[in-house]
Amino acid sequence: MNAGNELRERPAAAYLATLNEAQRAAVEFGIDPREGPAPSAPLLVIAGAGSGKTNTLAHRVAHLIAHGVDPGKILLLTFSRRAAVEMTRRVDRIMGQLAKGNRGVMSSSLVWSGTFHSVGARLLREYAGRIGLAPGFTIHDREDSADLLNLVRHELGYSAKDKRFPMKSTCLGIYSAAINTQAPLNEVLQATYPWCVQWEAELKQLFLNYVGAKQHQQVLDYDDLLLYWSHMVADPDLALEIGDRFSHILIDEYQDTNRLQSALVLAMKPDGHGLTVVGDDAQSIYAFRGATVRNILDFPAHFTPAAVQITLDRNYRSTQPILDAANAVIALASERFTKNLWSERISSSKPRLVAIRDDADQAICIVEQILARREEGVKLKSQAVLFRTGHHSARLEVELTRRNIPFVKFGGLKFLEAAHVKDLLAVVRWAQNLRDRVSGFRALQLLPGIGPKTAGRILDNVAAASPGRELLAEQPVPESARIAWGEFAGLVEAFGLAGAPWPGTFERASDWYQAQMDRLYEDAVVRQPDIEQLARIAATYPNQERFLTEFTLDPPDATSDESGVPFLDEDYLILSTIHSAKGQEWTAVTLLNAVDGCLPSDMATGSPAEIEEERRLLYVAMTRARDYLDIMVPQRFYVSGQSGMGDRHVYASRTRFIPNALLTHFDQVSWPLPEDPVQGSSESSRKAVDLAARMRAMWI
């Protein structure tokens, strides 16, 4: 053992002491303190809810670096940019502790940390010249992709069909599903879009032309970032080259990967050496995005007999009664990795099954319980109401508003879906790539006097010109638009100048756009803060390409034009879909509508796989709670019109995922409580009415 290793061992022991036995086994796997790390066998960490998954993964990364692994050869893949930032922050903190008084500890700067899509974009930029991509390609968000697909749809004449051809959003959904699931188009249609089966041939032609349009315009859509990456590593030489760049690949939330993501990782590490995946099959709830639980369930078999599995089953979040109930629910799953979460947090309170009459009573009951807990010291922000689908909370939102209780609902428009944000980004995207027809079409029509016809003519001229010879200032525009066009052309051309300062060019574009907003929007004053915020965000990126790529892939969640008046109260209740709640936790959690038809949703019972995912949704909802869990069971609930059936109230039984055999894990209560008998009254003193006799008398 050399001196450097001795120095590293002493502080390492201190920070490893904070981990439990299973966490430490995962962190130290494949690392010999004397010899340092070597590419180890594939490691699968089954991390139960609240088991310290993020902490364990961050410690493993830090432990690898502390024992000599070059941070530049570690690839850390997460499912959001925020998760990557948080993971990097934790690694830096751990490494900072190790570095105190020890100059031999390597820097913890992670060069390759991010989402699958952001890492894919970086690799494609780097290898663009070798795989036939233009290095300056732009990336379309979902709405821009749908717009381009719609242009192709119109050019093919499908919008004029006698029978209604699928709309652009449906077409994009079909295309994306086929890409991410790697399933043939006919299987995707049969399984998810059966009403579109008759259009299979036309959809194939549409997608072929859509791919051609993207290639001609030098744009990639969201799915292309994975698709191109997977095809790149399908080449044996490139797969070996890219795989060798990373001695260790670590993947968070592996249960949320789709077939395409799994395939490209396995192509880079076909023997699994240096591969660590962390996840929980019981929390696989994103099949609608193409994720498949099979990736994590089949991981050990794929690398048999080399794969090693470590299970994290100690929960640091919930009380034991809540875990007992959640364990019982997931134990009925048809296939899973066996684990029973346990906790040292003992409590005498079981989760409650609350029977109520209907959704109106449900809303009143929840509000009363929320206010009661607030009086007991549980802040509103420490309480959450979860639901399967966004519209399930409608009645509750009305009651909260009536009672003047502030709340925040997770969901709604994303930042990039706001019209004013898309306007400015269209200008910047078109300035980066003048062949991006969708961005150009939107950007050009921001100018007064330029409509669709003129915009189309300019884009045709630009597409026909050789690169660098577009001569924007000389494009044919109406005389009334000539001055505005000259200013705009100069703005766009400034982006392409050698040594153009960033973010100075963006600030110039932002100033130009803000001058147009009063003409474009009546509520410009409400929208302007988003444009100012966009400029501040742009300044945090080193260049235009990084900004457009990463901002498109991981935008903020809210916009000024939808947020309304800021809360004057610093406390507010959390409303959230179960999908949005994953990864979160609250002191008290209430689950709406735990009845068949809502959970499982009546739209997700077409196959055993769908039903199993609905079971996992319930499990995820239950394991968000620290101390209190209320599961609401209305006798009837309101359903908004679906499938042409109109609005209606329906009756349903308690969710099938909590059968009678599991009721011992819950306290069963009813609301409202039965009223006490009127004092002084008795059965003998009350007047009896023989309604049965009256019913017979009607027919005598």
Side-chain angles (χ1 to χ4, degrees):
M1 182 184 298
N2 61 40
N5 280 336
E6 290 177 356
L7 283 172
R8 285 195 290 268
E9 275 195 299
R10 285 197 293 271
Y15 82 82
L16 289 177
T18 65
L19 305 174
N20 65 42
E21 185 177 345
Q23 291 173 332
R24 182 163 179 167
V27 169
E28 293 182 313
F29 177 75
I31 303 173
D32 186 330
R34 296 173 182 82
E35 302 297 331
S40 57
L43 173 63
L44 169 62
V45 180
I46 299 297
S51 63
K53 167 181 64 67
T54 301
N55 191 42
T56 302
L57 193 56
H59 274 80
R60 178 159 176 78
V61 173
H63 203 57
L64 288 169
I65 297 171
H67 285 79
V69 175
D70 180 356
K73 292 184 71 65
I74 294 176
L75 173 59
L76 175 61
L77 294 168
T78 64
F79 274 80
S80 73
R81 181 171 176 268
R82 287 174 290 278
V85 169
E86 170 63 16
M87 196 76 71
T88 302
R89 185 186 65 80
R90 293 196 188 200
V91 172
D92 287 342
R93 187 179 68 240
I94 297 167
M95 295 303 299
Q97 296 171 358
L98 288 169
K100 291 179 180 177
N102 181 8
R103 297 180 180 179
V105 175
M106 186 179 293
S107 166
S108 63
S109 178
L110 288 176
V111 179
W112 291 91
S113 174
T115 65
F116 272 91
H117 292 88
S118 65
V119 170
R122 286 182 61 188
L123 287 171
L124 295 181
R125 294 271 186 215
E126 189 171 327
Y127 285 86
R130 295 173 58 182
I131 59 175
L133 275 178
F137 66 80
T138 52
I139 301 172
H140 278 179
D141 61 27
R142 292 291 189 188
E143 188 172 338
D144 286 340
S145 299
D147 288 342
L148 178 56
L149 196 58
N150 199 42
L151 286 174
V152 177
R153 176 177 174 271
H154 181 71
E155 290 170 357
L156 289 170
Y158 293 163
S159 57
K161 291 283 187 182
D162 293 336
K163 293 184 178 180
R164 185 173 61 89
F165 191 76
M167 299 297 289
K168 65 178 182 180
S169 58
T170 302
C171 292
L172 184 62
I174 295 169
Y175 175 82
S176 185
I179 295 298
N180 286 289
T181 64
Q182 296 289 277
L185 179 59
N186 65 325
E187 290 184 12
V188 172
L189 294 176
Q190 290 285 355
T192 314
Y193 300 90
W195 64 93
C196 300
V197 169
Q198 62 177 314
W199 301 110
E200 180 182 350
E202 289 85 351
L203 286 168
K204 280 186 176 180
Q205 186 64 50
L206 173 64
F207 298 154
L208 176 62
N209 287 32
Y210 171 59
V211 170
K214 287 188 294 180
Q215 292 175 350
H216 178 70
Q217 298 179 29
Q218 300 175 7
V219 300
L220 300 182
D221 63 24
Y222 194 69
D223 298 316
D224 284 334
L225 300 176
L226 299 182
L227 184 63
Y228 274 70
W229 183 3
S230 70
H231 280 281
M232 189 163 60
V233 295
D235 179 88
D237 293 334
L238 279 175
L240 181 62
E241 179 181 336
I242 296 172
D244 284 347
R245 295 180 63 160
F246 308 111
S247 62
H248 291 80
I249 298 178
L250 302 96
I251 306 174
D252 192 16
E253 305 285 11
Y254 194 65
Q255 78 280 352
D256 294 334
T257 54
N258 58 42
R259 289 181 182 176
L260 192 58
Q261 290 164 326
S262 175
L264 63 87
V265 170
L266 298 180
M268 290 192 295
K269 293 294 178 186
D271 56 7
H273 286 173
L275 179 60
T276 299
V277 301
V278 182
D280 182 6
D281 55 297
Q283 297 186 68
S284 179
I285 59 174
Y286 294 113
F288 67 94
R289 295 180 185 169
T292 171
V293 71
R294 299 297 342 156
N295 286 348
I296 193 167
L297 289 175
D298 296 340
F299 186 88
H302 186 87
F303 292 109
T304 299
V308 173
Q309 179 180 324
I310 296 174
T311 300
L312 309 183
D313 56 7
R314 179 179 177 182
N315 180 283
Y316 292 90
R317 175 187 301 156
S318 306
T319 62
Q320 191 60 50
I322 291 175
L323 296 179
D324 288 340
N327 287 336
V329 166
I330 202 63
L332 299 178
S334 60
E335 184 180 6
R336 70 185 184 110
F337 288 116
T338 301
K339 64 180 177 304
N340 286 303
L341 299 180
W342 62 277
S343 172
E344 292 183 349
R345 301 191 62 229
I346 306 302
S347 173
S348 59
S349 299
K350 296 180 180 179
R352 302 194 309 169
L353 287 174
V354 184
I356 60 268
R357 181 174 51 192
D358 54 25
D359 48 357
D361 277 4
Q362 178 175 241
I364 298 171
C365 173
I366 290 172
V367 169
E368 289 187 0
Q369 187 60 62
I370 286 167
L371 293 177
R373 288 194 172 125
R374 181 173 179 270
E375 291 301 312
E376 295 170 359
V378 182
K379 291 183 177 181
L380 293 179
K381 283 192 288 189
S382 296
Q383 304 185 58
V385 181
L386 308 183
F387 31 86
R388 172 64 177 83
T389 306
H391 69 264
H392 286 178
S393 65
R395 181 64 68 96
L396 175 61
E397 292 175 47
V398 172
E399 184 65 19
L400 290 169
T401 302
R402 188 181 72 82
R403 302 281 284 270
N404 198 31
I405 299 174
F407 65 90
V408 170
K409 183 176 180 180
F410 285 87
L413 279 177
K414 296 293 185 183
F415 191 85
L416 285 185
E417 293 172 353
H420 52 292
V421 174
K422 289 187 69 65
D423 287 346
L424 180 52
L425 289 178
V427 172
V428 180
R429 286 194 183 113
W430 193 58
Q432 182 191 33
N433 175 13
L434 294 178
R435 277 145 185 78
D436 182 348
R437 196 172 185 88
V438 170
S439 297
F441 200 69
R442 185 180 191 116
L444 294 177
Q445 292 183 81
L446 297 174
L447 279 75
I450 294 185
K453 188 174 181 179
T454 301
R457 185 164 56 246
I458 293 172
L459 292 172
D460 289 340
N461 293 342
V462 168
S466 58
R469 302 292 298 169
E470 292 86 358
L471 303 177
L472 290 183
E474 300 178 17
Q475 291 297 323
V477 297
E479 192 60 34
S480 60
R482 177 59 58 187
I483 295 176
W485 174 253
E487 180 186 2
F488 179 74
L491 169 71
V492 171
E493 289 173 339
F495 277 87
L497 295 176
W502 178 267
T505 48
F506 187 90
E507 292 170 355
R508 179 178 170 185
S510 175
D511 292 341
W512 174 86
Y513 179 71
Q514 289 186 66
Q516 318 299 317
M517 289 183 71
D518 284 334
R519 175 175 54 82
L520 296 170
Y521 298 105
E522 294 181 359
D523 57 348
V525 67
V526 176
R527 299 172 184 260
Q528 186 168 347
D530 282 336
I531 302 303
E532 295 169 352
Q533 177 67 6
L534 199 56
R536 288 191 290 269
I537 292 173
T540 66
Y541 290 87
N543 54 54
Q544 179 180 333
E545 287 183 350
R546 283 281 298 278
F547 165 69
L548 288 175
T549 298
E550 296 185 22
F551 190 76
T552 299
L553 299 181
D554 191 30
D557 289 327
T559 59
S560 299
D561 65 337
E562 69 166 1
S563 60
V565 179
F567 289 126
L568 299 179
D569 195 326
E570 65 179 6
D571 200 13
Y572 47 83
L573 180 69
I574 305 297
L575 305 184
S576 175
T577 63
I578 301 173
H579 287 100
S580 295
K582 187 171 174 293
Q584 305 298 316
E585 59 182 62
W586 295 274
T587 300
V589 168
T590 301
L591 177 63
L592 295 185
N593 295 334
V595 293
D596 264 39
C598 287
L599 193 65
S601 167
D602 55 7
M603 304 295 287
T605 56
S607 69
E610 288 180 325
I611 294 173
E612 286 303 307
E613 179 154 318
E614 294 290 301
R615 187 194 312 277
R616 296 193 292 268
L617 271 170
L618 174 58
Y619 175 81
V620 167
M622 294 174 68
T623 53
R624 300 310 95 197
R626 294 194 197 104
D627 300 312
Y628 306 101
L629 174 61
D630 286 347
I631 298 177
M632 312 302 291
V633 187
Q635 186 179 23
R636 68 174 188 167
F637 60 94
Y638 181 78
V639 176
S640 60
Q642 294 184 26
S643 304
M645 298 179 67
D647 296 348
R648 66 200 191 282
H649 274 92
V650 298
Y651 291 85
S653 58
R654 183 180 66 246
T655 173
R656 69 187 72 178
F657 304 135
I658 305 179
N660 290 340
L662 303 190
L663 293 180
T664 56
H665 295 289
F666 300 87
D667 285 332
Q668 298 182 71
V669 299
S670 298
W671 190 94
L673 297 174
E675 296 181 2
D676 293 331
V678 179
Q679 291 187 357
S681 65
S682 66
E683 289 297 326
S684 59
S685 65
R686 293 176 181 173
K687 180 180 179 181
V689 179
D690 189 353
L691 293 184
R694 293 186 182 184
M695 298 302 105
R696 294 192 301 270
M698 291 175 61
W699 306 101
I700 297 176

